Amino acid sequence: MITDDNKAIVLFSGGQDSTTCLAWTLDRYSHVETIGFNYGQRHMIEMDVRPVVLAGLRKISASWDQRLGEDHVIDLGVLGQISDTALTRDTEIILTENGLPNTFVPGRNLVFLNFAGIIAYRRGLRHVVGGMCETDFSGYPDCRNETMKAMAKVLGLGMDEPFEIQTPLMWLDKADTWALAESLGGEHLIELIRNDTHTCYLGERGEMHDWGHGCGTCPSCELRRNGWTSYAAA
Ligand code: ZN
């Protein structure tokens, strides 16, 4: 056994969910690394906000600053090559026949988790943490709890290490996610998430709304806005 139960790696995209997950992880584990992927996204804004959010988290808490370790950025351009979806092509976002938005890159999280597992093995990190959520995230099958349980088993068997996949947002809705952020990092974390994280599918950064930057109309902005509205009303 080479991995350490006090160490974790977080799938960190620079969005609201993964930023909240990262704060959750920094609250619990003594050493935390991050991993992000370039895969031919429609826009590079997510990749641009990542270092800004990381720097912001360091400023919120001295212990977070101390715990936050290396950030791994992995080039998975090949994923853009083999997927034909609205996230990687310049087409309109619509719901497809199976009820999934055409932003769905089939199996994307499975690929991400494999790479995170490989880095976790090399770096001695036991826990792989991600913002996967069954509650209101468009029903992506690679975000389901059952998928995560199976994936943890595959990583554990395939690398002979007792990896655990942690999904703190699995049963939360978007309002709960804002509330979780507040409980972890107070007003400072809420402000960091509002100002600096990026969720909009269209890569819109121009206008600043109550809930942050974004086009306000894509499915991702809609979720974020509705979550903020019910969080703010509570
Ligand atoms: Zn949007």
Side-chain angles (χ1 to χ4, degrees):
M1 199 183 295
I2 57 151
T3 59
D4 185 327
D5 197 32
N6 292 310
K7 297 184 178 181
I9 186 163
V10 181
L11 303 180
F12 177 60
S13 71
Q16 175 186 0
D17 290 348
S18 66
T19 300
T20 307
C21 279
L22 180 50
W24 181 91
T25 311
L26 287 166
D27 205 46
R28 275 162 184 75
Y29 298 97
S30 61
H31 178 81
V32 179
E33 302 190 6
T34 47
I35 184 168
F37 301 94
N38 271 318
Y39 56 96
Q41 292 97 320
R42 286 160 72 106
H43 45 77
M44 290 304 289
I45 287 168
E46 285 181 30
M47 297 312 285
D48 294 342
V49 303
R50 289 175 83 262
V52 178
V53 175
L54 288 173
L57 286 167
R58 288 185 185 280
K59 282 192 204 126
I60 290 175
S61 153
S63 92
W64 290 2
D65 181 37
Q66 198 203 349
R67 291 172 171 195
L68 191 55
E70 206 169 309
D71 180 34
H72 309 269
V73 176
I74 308 298
D75 184 359
L76 281 183
V78 66
L79 195 55
Q81 247 175 61
I82 58 173
S83 333
D84 184 17
T85 82
L87 270 194
T88 54
R89 302 264 189 274
D90 198 11
T91 48
E92 197 190 346
I93 295 170
I94 50 159
L95 282 184
T96 58
E97 285 161 31
N98 55 9
L100 294 171
N102 61 345
T103 50
F104 176 59
V105 178
R108 181 180 63 179
N109 280 315
L110 306 182
V111 176
F112 290 176
L113 286 163
N114 274 293
F115 278 84
I118 291 167
I119 288 183
Y121 184 93
R122 177 163 63 81
R123 305 281 299 166
L125 320 168
R126 172 79 47 85
H127 302 272
V128 179
V129 186
M132 283 68 79
C133 172
E134 247 189 56
T135 311
D136 61 5
F137 207 69
S138 314
Y140 294 157
D142 64 342
C143 290
R144 290 177 191 154
N145 199 43
E146 279 298 304
T147 310
M148 293 306 111
K149 285 202 284 193
M151 199 64 207
K153 190 165 184 190
V154 166
L155 291 177
L157 286 171
M159 289 191 264
D160 201 16
E161 269 294 309
F163 288 115
E164 290 187 35
I165 297 179
Q166 308 287 355
T167 53
L169 309 186
M170 183 58 74
W171 309 111
L172 304 186
D173 64 22
K174 278 278 188 272
D176 298 332
T177 302
W178 284 109
L180 174 62
E182 190 189 338
S183 76
L184 290 164
E187 206 44 45
H188 293 295
L189 183 56
I190 295 289
E191 282 311 295
L192 179 71
I193 291 172
R194 279 185 65 228
N195 287 305
D196 294 317
T197 66
H198 184 83
T199 313
C200 177
Y201 283 146
L202 305 180
E204 186 62 57
R205 285 302 283 169
E207 198 182 338
M208 177 69 187
H209 311 271
D210 288 350
W211 43 269
H213 294 278
C215 73
T217 51
C218 77
S220 189
C221 281
E222 214 169 301
L223 269 176
R224 181 163 163 155
R225 184 188 62 228
N226 292 343
W228 172 265
T229 305
S230 45
Y231 159 73

